Amino acid sequence: MRKYIFVTGGVCSSLGKGVAATSLGNLLESRGLKITMLKIDPYLNVDAGTMSPYQHGEVYVTEDGAETDLDLGNYARFTNSVLGRKNSITTGQIYQEVIKREREGRYLGKTVQVIPHITDEIKRRIVLAGKNPDVDVVITEIGGTVGDIESVPFLEAARQFVSDMGKENTLFIHLTLIPEVAGKELKTKPTQHSVKELREIGIQPDILICRSPIQIDKDMIKKIALFTNVASDSIISAYDIKTTIYEIPLIFHAQGLDKIVLEKMNIPRSKIDFTEWAAMVKTFKTSSRTVKIGIVGKYINLNDAYKSVYESIFHGGLANKVRIELIKIDAEDIEGAQDLDTIFSSVHGILIPGGFGQRGIQGMISSAEYARTHGIPCFGICLGMQIMVIEYARNVLGYKDADSTEFKPATSAPVISLLEEQINVNNFGGTMRLGKSESFVQEGTRLHQIYGSSTIFERHRHRYEVSNQYRGELEKAGLIISALTPDKTLVESVEWPDHPWGIGVQFHPEFLSTPINPHPLFSSFIKASNDYGKK
Ligand code: GLN
């Protein structure tokens, strides 16, 4: 029988429910189990595609082209769970499906209600996510905080799993906060209240994971156990760490989380093997050299907006046994800056990430020019690659007006533009290139050296392309086009000639990087930046 674990959160948001859920996934995989991870977002948007990074952080793109919550990125970095469209559920999707069915007359005249029709659809989707003969455990993270109006139908559906699937096949893990108040005293009251709220809707948590600034002691655990009916050995302390989030599975294991889950769900216990994972954490801890990477982007103030990019840079650091210091530079600040020397004197590499809309573009173009003319390693991703092309067209080809039609529709040199067939489509969601696709890598290029292959598969999320009208000219002026779509119609990557490391890619390699398998592009970029830093 397949097992279902639900991870809920209490007290407040942003406690790291996603990392807690995926750390458990990681531990269960280390015990030899096959898992899948599922994220529920209780908002009415159908997916995260149309949401601003300021609202929601990064949009994580799956292989099958779904635009999802950034927690799926956490799942992908910690586990081997195969993630796709069905691993991300929103209230919008559930209602859309139920209302569609109602219009088709499929409820046979019944009154369509939240319970049972919405909850049934939620349960169907959770079961569907695990429907793969290989999957032993489905871990479902319910977004939001217990007590939010929006999450009620999802919690109700989860509650019903106990009677549908049996107690030993359903497990509830609740993540709460133990805050520190004046005088450095830790307080359990918010946790008590949050569990009470959960129990009021019929869910008794089996395990509590308690976030706190320092590790909670035995007495406190006893007290929490008394008030919440959760066994002392099932209360895990998720204290703040100064190392890396990748250490969290090890910290949970030390407190017996995986053992307790296996016992409670009656899963035969196999020996744990996380040699590789522990070695990775050790590599981080024993690295001493620091490589400083400047990120020139537009959503710099929000930590989560470039989540996968930041993580991938960190993975590149692991591959080179160096620590990373991220220097976040707001592209808009560069726009009026006279003195780029000072801004860039402390960085060893510059990364220009993806993005949409006009704000900050000039700052990114100036940064690319600076990196190109000063031999600083430069990595452009999606929008970043388009910026590198615009900069080259302006400063090497001499088209002063060169631009993307996204930013300047009437430019006289549209080096980045929409494809003919996209121009007359009005549906915003319909024109994006999304998800995994194949690219052909030209032999003899740096990209070919890095991948060691002519065929690569990467994920896309963009509308605009390098205009074929200017391809010949750009190449003649030295820009190397190192990858194309297999039909050779679209540019997938460019390289600066005579430069230590200047690569722009139209796709998003950050969605494929993990701490165990750092993406080769990030490893190579950090290596080049490290070399630059040594000079
Ligand atoms: N805005 C650009 C486009 O749509 C780049 C998108 C991105 O960086 N993801 O093509």
Side-chain angles (χ1 to χ4, degrees):
M1 180 81 188
R2 192 161 292 138
K3 310 285 183 182
Y4 296 89
I5 299 178
F6 293 93
V7 181
T8 56
V11 184
C12 64
S13 58
S14 304
L15 292 180
K17 217 179 327 140
V19 172
T22 196
S23 294
L24 173 64
N26 175 290
L27 287 177
L28 295 183
E29 282 189 345
S30 304
R31 290 277 190 175
L33 293 166
K34 287 269 184 312
I35 62 140
T36 194
M37 307 280 312
L38 170 63
K39 175 72 193 281
I40 290 177
D41 280 303
Y43 46 67
L44 279 164
N45 303 60
V46 171
D47 62 33
T50 55
M51 287 163 95
S52 148
Y54 284 113
Q55 288 280 312
H56 197 260
E58 162 189 285
V59 171
Y60 181 83
V61 181
T62 59
E63 206 173 279
D64 58 359
E67 298 175 277
T68 70
D69 182 78
L70 57 82
D71 267 317
L72 269 81
N74 279 325
Y75 305 163
R77 291 185 281 272
F78 280 77
T79 77
N80 300 309
S81 163
V82 179
L83 302 168
R85 202 166 287 281
K86 65 183 176 35
N87 297 73
S88 166
I89 302 181
T90 69
T91 301
Q93 290 167 22
I94 300 287
Y95 274 79
Q96 196 178 46
E97 177 63 29
V98 170
I99 291 169
K100 179 177 134 264
R101 256 186 251 153
E102 187 274 335
R103 292 289 84 186
E104 290 166 1
R106 285 166 57 191
Y107 290 106
L108 306 171
K110 287 204 188 91
T111 308
V112 181
Q113 294 178 297
V114 173
I115 304 172
H117 301 103
I118 294 293
T119 44
D120 279 353
E121 175 59 14
I122 295 170
K123 290 194 287 182
R124 188 186 72 83
R125 291 285 306 269
I126 295 172
V127 170
L128 186 73
K131 246 202 181 110
N132 175 333
D134 276 354
V135 169
D136 305 306
V137 185
V138 180
I139 302 178
T140 304
E141 177 192 347
I142 303 184
T145 309
V146 171
D148 295 349
I149 293 180
E150 285 89 348
S151 1
V152 172
F154 294 104
L155 293 168
E156 170 57 18
R159 186 193 66 80
Q160 293 175 16
F161 261 78
V162 180
S163 44
D164 290 1
M165 303 295 179
K167 180 66 201 112
E168 72 167 28
N169 300 317
T170 313
L171 190 91
F172 294 102
I173 300 183
H174 191 54
L175 185 78
T176 73
L177 177 69
I178 311 272
E180 194 174 43
V181 292
K184 298 245 167 211
E185 208 183 328
L186 294 176
K187 291 292 185 190
T188 66
K189 191 71 84 192
T191 295
Q192 295 174 34
H193 277 290
S194 169
V195 173
K196 188 166 156 247
E197 210 158 6
L198 202 53
R199 289 169 68 185
E200 268 166 19
I201 51 176
I203 295 175
Q204 165 63 48
D206 300 281
I207 294 172
L208 293 181
I209 298 180
C210 301
R211 279 300 308 274
S212 60
I214 51 167
Q215 187 159 13
I216 52 175
D217 61 21
K218 287 241 157 55
D219 288 341
M220 184 157 290
I221 287 181
K222 255 195 211 148
K223 184 173 167 192
I224 299 169
L226 186 70
F227 280 102
T228 60
N229 255 359
V230 175
S232 293
D233 70 350
S234 305
I235 297 175
I236 307 291
S237 175
Y239 49 90
D240 290 353
I241 47 168
K242 288 198 180 63
T243 50
T244 151
I245 53 165
Y246 298 115
E247 194 177 7
I248 294 172
L250 306 181
I251 290 171
F252 286 177
H253 171 71
Q255 297 175 62
L257 177 64
D258 42 314
K259 184 176 133 267
I260 295 158
V261 169
L262 298 183
E263 271 167 20
K264 285 194 193 286
M265 303 198 92
N266 222 348
I267 303 172
R269 235 210 274 173
S270 59
K271 225 172 132 330
I272 192 148
D273 177 13
F274 50 37
T275 355
E276 212 180 7
W277 197 268
M280 175 269 292
V281 172
K282 190 168 166 213
T283 300
F284 170 77
K285 287 182 168 175
T286 52
S287 305
S288 54
R289 236 193 104 69
T290 298
V291 173
K292 297 183 185 174
I293 300 297
I295 319 278
V296 183
K298 53 198 292 183
Y299 318 113
I300 285 300
N301 297 329
L302 189 87
N303 240 341
D304 279 347
Y306 301 120
K307 182 86 186 138
S308 294
V309 171
Y310 294 163
E311 290 302 318
S312 303
I313 294 173
F314 177 85
H315 304 157
L318 287 172
N320 290 283
K321 297 191 169 45
V322 294
R323 295 221 175 188
I324 299 293
E325 184 183 330
L326 292 176
I327 299 181
K328 299 174 184 174
I329 304 166
D330 192 324
E332 260 183 324
D333 291 345
I334 293 205
E335 253 151 51
Q338 304 295 317
D339 189 10
L340 291 184
D341 289 336
T342 312
I343 296 177
F344 289 124
S345 63
S346 61
V347 307
H348 306 147
I350 295 175
L351 189 148
I352 308 174
F356 294 81
Q358 214 206 333
R359 196 172 56 78
I361 294 302
Q362 188 47 49
M364 295 181 204
I365 293 175
S366 309
S367 307
E369 180 184 6
Y370 192 91
R372 185 175 58 77
T373 52
H374 290 76
I376 305 176
C378 181
F379 191 3
I381 295 179
C382 206
L383 172 66
M385 179 201 99
Q386 299 175 356
I387 294 289
M388 287 167 77
V389 172
I390 295 170
E391 189 277 321
Y392 209 83
R394 283 189 192 177
N395 300 324
V396 180
L397 275 181
Y399 288 117
K400 290 294 164 225
D401 193 37
D403 219 314
S404 162
T405 53
E406 179 181 5
F407 318 128
K408 189 174 184 189
T411 170
S412 60
V415 288
I416 309 290
S417 64
L418 290 177
L419 298 179
E420 271 313 308
E421 58 265 32
Q422 287 175 304
I423 288 172
N424 294 320
V425 183
N426 273 327
N427 180 356
F428 229 55
T431 52
M432 279 249 222
R433 216 169 137 210
L434 277 169
K436 172 167 128 172
S437 60
E438 184 180 338
S439 310
F440 168 78
V441 186
Q442 205 70 47
E443 248 174 81
T445 61
R446 187 177 292 244
L447 203 73
H448 194 274
Q449 237 173 36
I450 291 171
Y451 279 93
S453 167
S454 300
T455 305
I456 59 169
F457 292 88
E458 294 280 358
R459 293 184 202 167
H460 292 75
R461 180 176 185 247
H462 64 108
R463 254 181 220 106
Y464 294 81
E465 306 283 350
V466 174
S467 160
N468 284 326
Q469 201 190 322
Y470 291 90
R471 224 160 97 180
E473 270 179 89
L474 286 163
E475 282 187 295
K476 228 183 252 146
L479 191 70
I480 299 158
I481 292 180
S482 46
L484 295 164
T485 46
D487 63 4
K488 306 215 165 42
T489 56
L490 302 176
V491 173
E492 296 278 38
S493 121
V494 299
E495 294 175 19
W496 286 333
D498 311 316
H499 188 277
W501 206 101
I503 297 181
V505 293
Q506 187 59 79
F507 43 80
H508 289 275
E510 71 270 26
F511 295 138
L512 296 187
S513 188
T514 75
I516 295 295
N517 285 310
H519 192 288
L521 270 170
F522 283 92
S523 305
S524 170
F525 171 59
I526 299 301
K527 182 177 183 305
S529 303
N530 190 21
D531 292 344
Y532 178 87
K534 282 179 190 159
K535 270 195 237 150

